[in-house]
Amino acid sequence: VDAAGCTKTAMKYLWNLNHRRIGLLTAGYRNWMKTDPCLDAYKEFMAEHDIAFNPELIYDGLGTIACGTAGAAQLIPRGVTAIFAGND
C-alpha cells in the first residue's frame, strides 16, 4: 500500500473542499518503522500549500477505533475542519 500517496490524495480532496485546518490521526507506523509515511506526506502537503506544520493537529494513535475516537475528541476542540485517519 502506498500510504504516502493515499495520504496526499486524501489531503488534496480535503483541500479542494476548502479545509485548511486538517487534523491527522496516525496509525502507529512509528511503533514498528523509523518513520510514518502518512505523517511525512501530511507535512509535505502542508508545506507545499504554505501551511506551517502544527503538531497540535496530530494525534498519535494505534490505528484502532478507540484511538480514533480519542483522537477526534482531542482534535475537534482544537478547531480542525477535517480529520484524516492513517488507518481505516
Side-chain angles (χ1 to χ4, degrees):
V1 173
D2 179 8
C6 292
T7 299
K8 285 197 172 185
T9 298
M11 294 293 291
K12 182 177 179 181
Y13 176 78
L14 295 171
W15 184 268
N16 288 338
L17 291 175
N18 293 314
H19 292 286
R20 299 297 182 265
R21 200 162 162 81
I22 304 169
L24 173 66
L25 299 173
T26 67
Y29 283 106
R30 288 182 285 174
N31 291 330
W32 50 277
M33 295 174 65
K34 288 186 178 188
T35 64
D36 182 334
C38 294
L39 179 58
D40 293 344
Y42 173 93
K43 288 178 178 179
E44 286 175 22
F45 184 90
M46 297 303 263
E48 290 166 2
H49 291 83
D50 297 319
I51 305 281
F53 175 68
N54 183 347
E56 289 190 5
L57 302 183
I58 308 301
Y59 181 84
D60 286 317
L62 299 173
T64 65
I65 293 171
C67 284
T69 301
Q74 284 192 14
L75 293 173
I76 291 170
R78 295 177 184 168
V80 298
T81 61
I83 298 173
F84 173 72
N87 191 356
D88 59 354

Coordinates of all heavy atoms in Angstrom, one line a residue:
V1 N 0.8 -1.2 0.0 CA 0.0 0.0 0.0 C 0.9 1.2 0.0 O 1.8 1.3 0.8 CB -0.9 0.0 1.2 CG1 -1.7 1.3 1.3 CG2 -1.9 -1.2 1.2
D2 N 0.6 2.2 -0.8 CA 1.3 3.4 -0.9 C 0.7 4.4 0.1 O -0.2 5.3 -0.3 CB 1.2 4.0 -2.3 CG 2.0 5.3 -2.5 OD1 2.6 5.8 -1.6 OD2 1.8 5.9 -3.6
A3 N 1.0 4.3 1.3 CA 0.4 5.2 2.4 C 0.7 6.6 2.1 O -0.2 7.5 2.3 CB 1.0 4.8 3.7
A4 N 1.8 7.0 1.7 CA 2.1 8.4 1.4 C 1.3 8.9 0.2 O 0.7 10.0 0.3 CB 3.6 8.6 1.1
G5 N 1.2 8.1 -0.8 CA 0.3 8.5 -2.0 C -1.1 8.7 -1.6 O -1.8 9.6 -2.0
C6 N -1.6 7.7 -0.8 CA -3.0 7.8 -0.4 C -3.3 9.0 0.5 O -4.3 9.6 0.4 CB -3.4 6.5 0.4 SG -3.4 5.0 -0.6
T7 N -2.3 9.3 1.4 CA -2.4 10.5 2.2 C -2.5 11.7 1.4 O -3.4 12.6 1.6 CB -1.2 10.6 3.2 OG1 -1.2 9.4 4.0 CG2 -1.3 11.8 4.1
K8 N -1.6 11.9 0.4 CA -1.7 13.1 -0.4 C -3.0 13.2 -1.2 O -3.5 14.3 -1.4 CB -0.4 13.1 -1.3 CG 0.8 13.5 -0.5 CD 1.9 14.0 -1.5 CE 3.1 14.5 -0.6 NZ 4.1 15.1 -1.5
T9 N -3.5 12.1 -1.7 CA -4.7 12.1 -2.4 C -5.9 12.6 -1.5 O -6.7 13.4 -1.9 CB -5.1 10.7 -3.0 OG1 -4.1 10.3 -3.9 CG2 -6.4 10.6 -3.6
A10 N -5.9 12.0 -0.3 CA -6.9 12.4 0.7 C -6.8 13.9 1.1 O -7.8 14.6 1.2 CB -6.9 11.6 1.9
M11 N -5.6 14.3 1.3 CA -5.3 15.7 1.6 C -5.7 16.7 0.5 O -6.3 17.7 0.8 CB -3.8 15.9 2.0 CG -3.4 15.2 3.2 SD -4.1 15.8 4.8 CE -3.3 17.4 4.8
K12 N -5.5 16.3 -0.7 CA -5.9 17.1 -1.9 C -7.4 17.2 -1.9 O -8.0 18.3 -2.2 CB -5.3 16.5 -3.1 CG -5.7 17.3 -4.4 CD -5.0 16.7 -5.6 CE -5.4 17.6 -6.8 NZ -4.8 17.0 -8.1
Y13 N -8.1 16.1 -1.7 CA -9.5 16.1 -1.7 C -10.1 17.0 -0.6 O -10.9 17.9 -0.9 CB -10.0 14.7 -1.4 CG -11.5 14.6 -1.3 CD1 -12.3 14.6 -2.4 CD2 -12.1 14.5 -0.1 CE1 -13.7 14.5 -2.3 CE2 -13.5 14.4 0.1 CZ -14.3 14.4 -1.1 OH -15.7 14.3 -1.0
L14 N -9.5 16.9 0.6 CA -10.0 17.8 1.7 C -9.6 19.3 1.4 O -10.4 20.2 1.6 CB -9.4 17.4 3.0 CG -9.8 16.0 3.5 CD1 -9.0 15.6 4.7 CD2 -11.3 16.0 3.9
W15 N -8.5 19.5 0.8 CA -8.1 20.9 0.4 C -9.0 21.5 -0.6 O -9.4 22.6 -0.5 CB -6.6 20.8 -0.1 CG -6.1 22.2 -0.5 CD1 -6.1 22.8 -1.6 CD2 -5.4 23.0 0.4 NE1 -5.5 24.0 -1.6 CE2 -5.0 24.2 -0.3 CE3 -5.0 22.9 1.8 CZ2 -4.3 25.3 0.3 CZ3 -4.3 24.0 2.3 CH2 -4.0 25.1 1.6
N16 N -9.4 20.7 -1.5 CA -10.3 21.1 -2.6 C -11.7 21.4 -2.0 O -12.5 22.1 -2.7 CB -10.4 20.1 -3.7 CG -9.1 20.2 -4.6 OD1 -8.4 21.1 -4.6 ND2 -8.9 19.1 -5.3
L17 N -12.0 20.9 -0.9 CA -13.3 21.2 -0.2 C -13.1 22.4 0.8 O -14.0 22.7 1.6 CB -13.8 20.0 0.6 CG -14.2 18.8 -0.2 CD1 -14.5 17.6 0.7 CD2 -15.4 19.1 -1.0
N18 N -12.0 23.1 0.6 CA -11.7 24.3 1.4 C -11.3 24.1 2.8 O -11.4 25.0 3.6 CB -12.7 25.4 1.3 CG -12.8 25.9 -0.2 OD1 -11.8 26.2 -0.8 ND2 -14.0 26.0 -0.7
H19 N -10.9 22.9 3.2 CA -10.4 22.6 4.5 C -8.9 23.1 4.6 O -8.2 22.7 3.7 CB -10.5 21.1 4.9 CG -11.9 20.7 5.0 ND1 -12.7 21.0 6.1 CD2 -12.6 19.9 4.2 CE1 -13.9 20.4 6.0 NE2 -13.9 19.8 4.8
R20 N -8.6 23.8 5.6 CA -7.2 24.3 5.7 C -6.6 23.8 7.1 O -5.4 23.7 7.2 CB -7.1 25.8 5.6 CG -7.6 26.3 4.3 CD -6.7 25.8 3.1 NE -7.1 26.3 1.8 CZ -7.9 25.7 1.0 NH1 -8.4 24.5 1.3 NH2 -8.1 26.2 -0.2
R21 N -7.5 23.6 8.0 CA -7.0 23.1 9.4 C -7.4 21.6 9.5 O -8.4 21.3 10.0 CB -7.7 24.0 10.4 CG -7.0 24.0 11.7 CD -7.5 25.2 12.6 NE -7.2 24.9 14.0 CZ -6.0 25.1 14.5 NH1 -5.0 25.5 13.8 NH2 -5.8 24.8 15.8
I22 N -6.5 20.8 8.9 CA -6.8 19.4 8.8 C -6.0 18.6 9.9 O -4.8 18.8 10.0 CB -6.4 18.9 7.4 CG1 -7.1 19.7 6.3 CG2 -6.6 17.4 7.3 CD1 -6.6 19.5 4.9
G23 N -6.7 17.9 10.6 CA -6.1 17.0 11.7 C -5.6 15.7 11.1 O -6.2 15.2 10.1
L24 N -4.7 15.0 11.7 CA -4.2 13.7 11.3 C -4.2 12.8 12.5 O -3.7 13.1 13.5 CB -2.8 13.8 10.7 CG -2.1 12.5 10.4 CD1 -2.8 11.8 9.3 CD2 -0.7 12.7 10.1
L25 N -4.9 11.6 12.3 CA -4.8 10.5 13.3 C -3.8 9.5 12.7 O -4.0 8.9 11.7 CB -6.2 9.8 13.4 CG -7.3 10.6 13.9 CD1 -8.6 9.8 13.8 CD2 -7.1 11.1 15.3
T26 N -2.7 9.4 13.4 CA -1.7 8.5 12.9 C -2.1 7.0 13.2 O -2.9 6.8 14.0 CB -0.3 8.8 13.4 OG1 -0.3 8.5 14.8 CG2 0.2 10.2 13.2
A27 N -1.5 6.1 12.5 CA -1.9 4.7 12.6 C -0.8 3.8 13.3 O -0.9 2.6 13.2 CB -2.1 4.2 11.2
G28 N 0.1 4.5 14.0 CA 1.1 3.7 14.8 C 2.2 3.2 14.0 O 3.0 2.3 14.5
Y29 N 2.5 3.7 12.8 CA 3.6 3.2 12.0 C 4.9 3.3 12.8 O 5.8 2.5 12.6 CB 3.8 4.0 10.7 CG 2.8 3.7 9.6 CD1 1.7 4.5 9.3 CD2 3.0 2.5 8.9 CE1 0.8 4.2 8.3 CE2 2.1 2.1 7.9 CZ 1.0 3.0 7.6 OH 0.1 2.7 6.6
R30 N 5.1 4.4 13.5 CA 6.3 4.6 14.2 C 6.6 3.6 15.3 O 7.7 3.6 15.9 CB 6.4 6.1 14.8 CG 6.6 7.0 13.6 CD 6.7 8.5 14.1 NE 5.4 8.9 14.5 CZ 5.1 10.1 15.1 NH1 6.1 10.9 15.4 NH2 3.9 10.4 15.4
N31 N 5.6 2.8 15.6 CA 5.8 1.7 16.6 C 6.6 0.6 16.0 O 7.2 -0.2 16.7 CB 4.5 1.2 17.1 CG 3.8 2.2 18.0 OD1 4.4 3.0 18.6 ND2 2.4 2.1 17.9
W32 N 6.7 0.5 14.7 CA 7.4 -0.6 14.1 C 8.2 -0.2 12.9 O 8.9 -1.0 12.2 CB 6.5 -1.8 13.7 CG 5.3 -1.4 12.9 CD1 4.1 -1.0 13.5 CD2 5.1 -1.5 11.5 NE1 3.2 -0.7 12.4 CE2 3.8 -1.1 11.3 CE3 5.9 -1.9 10.5 CZ2 3.3 -1.0 10.0 CZ3 5.4 -1.8 9.2 CH2 4.1 -1.4 9.0
M33 N 8.2 1.1 12.5 CA 9.0 1.7 11.5 C 9.7 2.9 12.0 O 9.3 3.5 13.0 CB 8.2 2.1 10.3 CG 7.5 0.9 9.6 SD 6.3 1.5 8.3 CE 7.4 2.2 7.1
K34 N 10.8 3.4 11.3 CA 11.5 4.6 11.8 C 10.7 5.8 11.5 O 10.9 6.8 12.2 CB 12.9 4.7 11.1 CG 13.9 3.6 11.7 CD 15.2 3.9 11.1 CE 16.2 2.8 11.7 NZ 17.6 3.1 11.3
T35 N 9.9 5.8 10.5 CA 9.1 7.0 10.1 C 7.7 6.6 9.8 O 7.4 5.4 9.7 CB 9.7 7.7 8.8 OG1 9.6 6.8 7.7 CG2 11.1 8.1 9.0
D36 N 6.8 7.6 9.8 CA 5.4 7.4 9.5 C 5.1 8.0 8.1 O 5.2 9.2 7.9 CB 4.5 8.0 10.5 CG 3.1 7.8 10.3 OD1 2.6 7.6 9.2 OD2 2.3 7.9 11.3
P37 N 4.9 7.1 7.1 CA 4.7 7.7 5.7 C 3.5 8.6 5.6 O 3.5 9.6 4.8 CB 4.5 6.5 4.8 CG 4.2 5.3 5.8 CD 4.8 5.7 7.1
C38 N 2.5 8.4 6.4 CA 1.3 9.3 6.4 C 1.7 10.7 7.0 O 1.3 11.7 6.4 CB 0.2 8.7 7.2 SG -0.5 7.2 6.4
L39 N 2.4 10.6 8.1 CA 2.8 11.9 8.7 C 3.8 12.7 7.8 O 3.6 13.9 7.6 CB 3.4 11.6 10.1 CG 3.9 12.9 10.8 CD1 2.8 13.9 11.1 CD2 4.6 12.4 12.1
D40 N 4.7 12.0 7.2 CA 5.6 12.6 6.3 C 4.9 13.3 5.1 O 5.2 14.4 4.7 CB 6.7 11.6 5.8 CG 7.6 11.1 6.9 OD1 7.7 11.8 8.0 OD2 8.3 10.1 6.7
A41 N 3.9 12.5 4.5 CA 3.2 13.1 3.4 C 2.3 14.2 3.8 O 2.1 15.2 3.1 CB 2.3 12.0 2.8
Y42 N 1.7 14.1 5.0 CA 0.9 15.2 5.6 C 1.8 16.5 5.7 O 1.4 17.6 5.2 CB 0.4 14.8 6.9 CG -0.3 15.9 7.7 CD1 -1.7 16.0 7.6 CD2 0.4 16.7 8.6 CE1 -2.4 17.0 8.4 CE2 -0.3 17.7 9.3 CZ -1.7 17.8 9.2 OH -2.3 18.8 10.0
K43 N 3.0 16.4 6.3 CA 3.9 17.5 6.4 C 4.2 18.1 5.1 O 4.3 19.3 4.9 CB 5.1 17.1 7.2 CG 4.9 16.9 8.7 CD 6.2 16.4 9.3 CE 6.1 16.2 10.8 NZ 7.4 15.7 11.4
E44 N 4.6 17.2 4.1 CA 4.9 17.7 2.8 C 3.8 18.4 2.1 O 4.0 19.5 1.5 CB 5.3 16.5 1.9 CG 6.7 15.9 2.2 CD 7.0 14.6 1.4 OE1 6.3 14.5 0.3 OE2 7.8 13.8 1.8
F45 N 2.6 17.9 2.2 CA 1.4 18.5 1.6 C 1.2 19.9 2.2 O 1.0 20.9 1.5 CB 0.2 17.7 1.8 CG -1.0 18.2 1.1 CD1 -1.3 17.9 -0.2 CD2 -1.9 19.1 1.7 CE1 -2.4 18.4 -0.9 CE2 -3.0 19.7 1.1 CZ -3.2 19.3 -0.2
M46 N 1.2 20.0 3.5 CA 1.0 21.3 4.1 C 2.1 22.3 3.7 O 1.8 23.5 3.4 CB 0.9 21.1 5.7 CG -0.2 20.2 6.1 SD -1.8 20.8 5.6 CE -2.4 21.7 7.1
A47 N 3.3 21.9 3.7 CA 4.4 22.8 3.3 C 4.2 23.2 1.8 O 4.5 24.4 1.5 CB 5.8 22.1 3.4
E48 N 3.8 22.3 1.0 CA 3.6 22.7 -0.4 C 2.5 23.7 -0.6 O 2.4 24.4 -1.6 CB 3.2 21.4 -1.2 CG 4.4 20.5 -1.4 CD 3.9 19.1 -1.9 OE1 2.7 18.9 -2.2 OE2 4.8 18.2 -2.1
H49 N 1.6 23.8 0.4 CA 0.5 24.7 0.4 C 0.7 25.9 1.4 O -0.3 26.6 1.7 CB -0.8 24.0 0.6 CG -1.2 23.1 -0.5 ND1 -0.6 21.8 -0.6 CD2 -2.0 23.3 -1.6 CE1 -1.1 21.3 -1.7 NE2 -1.9 22.1 -2.3
D50 N 1.9 26.1 1.7 CA 2.3 27.2 2.6 C 1.6 27.3 3.9 O 1.2 28.3 4.5 CB 2.1 28.6 1.9 CG 3.1 28.7 0.7 OD1 4.2 28.2 0.8 OD2 2.6 29.1 -0.4
I51 N 1.3 26.1 4.5 CA 0.7 26.0 5.8 C 1.8 25.4 6.8 O 2.3 24.4 6.5 CB -0.5 25.0 5.8 CG1 -1.5 25.4 4.8 CG2 -1.1 24.9 7.2 CD1 -2.4 26.5 5.2
A52 N 2.1 26.2 7.8 CA 3.1 25.7 8.8 C 2.6 24.5 9.5 O 1.4 24.4 9.9 CB 3.4 26.8 9.8
F53 N 3.5 23.5 9.7 CA 3.2 22.3 10.5 C 2.8 22.7 11.9 O 3.5 23.4 12.6 CB 4.4 21.3 10.5 CG 4.1 20.1 11.3 CD1 3.2 19.2 10.9 CD2 4.8 19.9 12.5 CE1 3.0 18.1 11.7 CE2 4.6 18.8 13.3 CZ 3.7 17.9 12.9
N54 N 1.7 22.2 12.4 CA 1.2 22.4 13.7 C 1.0 21.1 14.4 O 0.1 20.3 14.1 CB -0.1 23.1 13.7 CG -0.7 23.5 15.0 OD1 -0.2 23.0 16.0 ND2 -1.7 24.4 15.1
P55 N 1.9 20.7 15.3 CA 1.9 19.4 16.0 C 0.6 19.2 16.8 O 0.2 18.1 17.1 CB 3.1 19.3 16.9 CG 3.6 20.7 17.0 CD 3.1 21.5 15.7
E56 N -0.1 20.3 17.1 CA -1.4 20.2 17.9 C -2.5 19.5 17.1 O -3.5 19.1 17.6 CB -1.8 21.5 18.4 CG -0.9 22.1 19.5 CD -1.5 23.3 20.2 OE1 -2.7 23.7 19.8 OE2 -0.9 23.8 21.1
L57 N -2.3 19.5 15.7 CA -3.3 18.9 14.9 C -3.0 17.4 14.5 O -3.6 16.8 13.7 CB -3.4 19.7 13.6 CG -3.7 21.2 13.7 CD1 -3.9 21.8 12.4 CD2 -5.0 21.4 14.6
I58 N -2.0 16.8 15.3 CA -1.6 15.4 15.1 C -2.0 14.7 16.3 O -1.7 15.1 17.5 CB -0.1 15.3 14.8 CG1 0.3 16.2 13.7 CG2 0.2 13.8 14.6 CD1 -0.3 16.0 12.4
Y59 N -2.6 13.5 16.2 CA -2.9 12.6 17.3 C -2.2 11.3 17.0 O -2.5 10.7 15.9 CB -4.4 12.4 17.5 CG -4.7 11.5 18.6 CD1 -4.7 12.0 19.9 CD2 -4.9 10.1 18.5 CE1 -5.0 11.1 21.0 CE2 -5.1 9.3 19.5 CZ -5.2 9.8 20.8 OH -5.4 8.9 21.9
D60 N -1.3 10.9 17.8 CA -0.6 9.7 17.6 C -1.4 8.5 18.1 O -1.6 8.4 19.3 CB 0.8 9.7 18.3 CG 1.8 10.5 17.5 OD1 1.9 10.5 16.3 OD2 2.5 11.3 18.2
G61 N -1.9 7.7 17.2 CA -2.8 6.6 17.6 C -2.2 5.3 17.2 O -1.0 5.2 16.8
L62 N -3.0 4.3 17.3 CA -2.5 2.9 17.0 C -3.3 2.3 15.9 O -3.2 1.1 15.6 CB -2.6 2.0 18.3 CG -1.8 2.5 19.4 CD1 -2.1 1.6 20.7 CD2 -0.3 2.4 19.1
G63 N -4.2 3.1 15.2 CA -5.0 2.6 14.2 C -6.2 1.8 14.6 O -6.8 1.1 13.9
T64 N -6.6 2.0 15.9 CA -7.8 1.3 16.4 C -9.0 2.3 16.5 O -8.8 3.5 16.4 CB -7.5 0.8 17.8 OG1 -7.3 1.9 18.7 CG2 -6.3 -0.1 17.9
I65 N -10.2 1.7 16.6 CA -11.4 2.5 16.8 C -11.3 3.4 18.0 O -11.6 4.6 18.0 CB -12.6 1.6 16.8 CG1 -12.8 1.0 15.4 CG2 -13.9 2.4 17.2 CD1 -13.9 -0.1 15.4
A66 N -10.8 2.8 19.1 CA -10.7 3.5 20.4 C -9.7 4.7 20.2 O -10.0 5.8 20.7 CB -10.2 2.6 21.5
C67 N -8.6 4.5 19.5 CA -7.7 5.6 19.3 C -8.3 6.7 18.4 O -8.1 7.9 18.6 CB -6.4 5.1 18.7 SG -5.3 4.3 19.9
G68 N -9.1 6.3 17.4 CA -9.7 7.2 16.5 C -10.7 8.1 17.3 O -10.8 9.3 17.1
T69 N -11.5 7.4 18.2 CA -12.5 8.2 19.0 C -11.7 9.2 19.9 O -12.1 10.3 20.0 CB -13.3 7.2 19.8 OG1 -14.0 6.3 18.9 CG2 -14.3 7.9 20.6
A70 N -10.7 8.7 20.5 CA -9.9 9.6 21.4 C -9.3 10.7 20.7 O -9.2 11.9 21.1 CB -8.9 8.8 22.2
G71 N -8.7 10.4 19.5 CA -8.1 11.4 18.7 C -9.0 12.5 18.2 O -8.8 13.7 18.3
A72 N -10.2 12.1 17.8 CA -11.2 13.0 17.3 C -11.6 13.9 18.5 O -11.8 15.1 18.3 CB -12.4 12.3 16.7
A73 N -11.8 13.3 19.7 CA -12.2 14.1 20.8 C -11.2 15.1 21.2 O -11.5 16.2 21.7 CB -12.4 13.1 22.0
Q74 N -9.9 14.9 20.9 CA -8.8 15.9 21.2 C -8.7 16.9 20.0 O -8.5 18.1 20.3 CB -7.5 15.2 21.4 CG -7.4 14.6 22.8 CD -6.0 14.2 23.1 OE1 -5.0 14.6 22.4 NE2 -5.8 13.4 24.1
L75 N -8.9 16.5 18.8 CA -8.6 17.3 17.6 C -9.8 18.3 17.4 O -9.6 19.5 17.0 CB -8.4 16.5 16.4 CG -7.0 15.7 16.4 CD1 -7.0 14.8 15.2 CD2 -5.9 16.7 16.5
I76 N -11.0 17.9 17.6 CA -12.2 18.7 17.3 C -12.1 20.0 18.1 O -12.3 21.1 17.5 CB -13.5 17.9 17.4 CG1 -13.6 16.9 16.2 CG2 -14.7 18.9 17.4 CD1 -14.7 15.9 16.4
P77 N -11.9 20.0 19.4 CA -11.8 21.2 20.2 C -10.7 22.1 19.7 O -10.7 23.3 20.1 CB -11.7 20.8 21.6 CG -12.1 19.3 21.6 CD -11.8 18.8 20.3
R78 N -9.7 21.6 19.0 CA -8.6 22.4 18.6 C -8.9 23.1 17.2 O -8.0 23.7 16.7 CB -7.3 21.5 18.4 CG -6.9 21.0 19.8 CD -5.7 20.0 19.6 NE -5.3 19.5 20.9 CZ -4.5 18.5 21.1 NH1 -3.9 17.9 20.1 NH2 -4.3 18.1 22.3
G79 N -10.1 22.9 16.8 CA -10.6 23.7 15.6 C -10.3 23.1 14.3 O -10.4 23.8 13.2
V80 N -10.1 21.8 14.2 CA -9.9 21.2 12.9 C -11.2 21.2 12.1 O -12.3 21.1 12.7 CB -9.4 19.7 13.0 CG1 -8.0 19.7 13.6 CG2 -10.4 18.8 13.7
T81 N -11.2 21.4 10.8 CA -12.4 21.3 10.0 C -12.5 20.0 9.3 O -13.6 19.7 8.7 CB -12.4 22.5 9.0 OG1 -11.2 22.3 8.1 CG2 -12.3 23.8 9.7
A82 N -11.4 19.2 9.3 CA -11.5 17.8 8.8 C -10.4 17.0 9.5 O -9.4 17.6 10.0 CB -11.2 17.9 7.3
I83 N -10.6 15.7 9.5 CA -9.6 14.8 10.1 C -9.3 13.7 9.1 O -10.2 13.1 8.5 CB -10.1 14.2 11.4 CG1 -10.4 15.3 12.4 CG2 -9.1 13.1 11.9 CD1 -11.0 14.7 13.7
F84 N -8.0 13.5 8.8 CA -7.6 12.3 8.0 C -7.0 11.3 8.9 O -6.2 11.5 9.8 CB -6.5 12.7 7.0 CG -5.9 11.6 6.3 CD1 -6.6 10.9 5.3 CD2 -4.6 11.1 6.6 CE1 -6.1 9.8 4.6 CE2 -4.1 10.0 5.9 CZ -4.8 9.4 4.9
A85 N -7.5 10.1 8.8 CA -7.0 8.9 9.6 C -6.1 8.1 8.8 O -6.4 7.7 7.6 CB -8.2 8.1 10.0
G86 N -4.9 7.8 9.4 CA -3.9 7.0 8.7 C -4.3 5.5 8.6 O -3.5 4.7 8.1
N87 N -5.4 5.1 9.1 CA -5.9 3.8 9.1 C -7.4 3.8 9.0 O -8.0 4.7 9.5 CB -5.4 3.0 10.3 CG -5.6 1.5 10.2 OD1 -6.2 1.0 9.2 ND2 -5.2 0.8 11.2
D88 N -8.0 2.8 8.3 CA -9.4 2.8 8.2 C -10.1 2.2 9.4 O -11.2 2.1 9.6 CB -9.9 2.1 7.0 CG -9.4 0.7 6.9 OD1 -8.6 0.2 7.7 OD2 -9.8 0.0 5.9

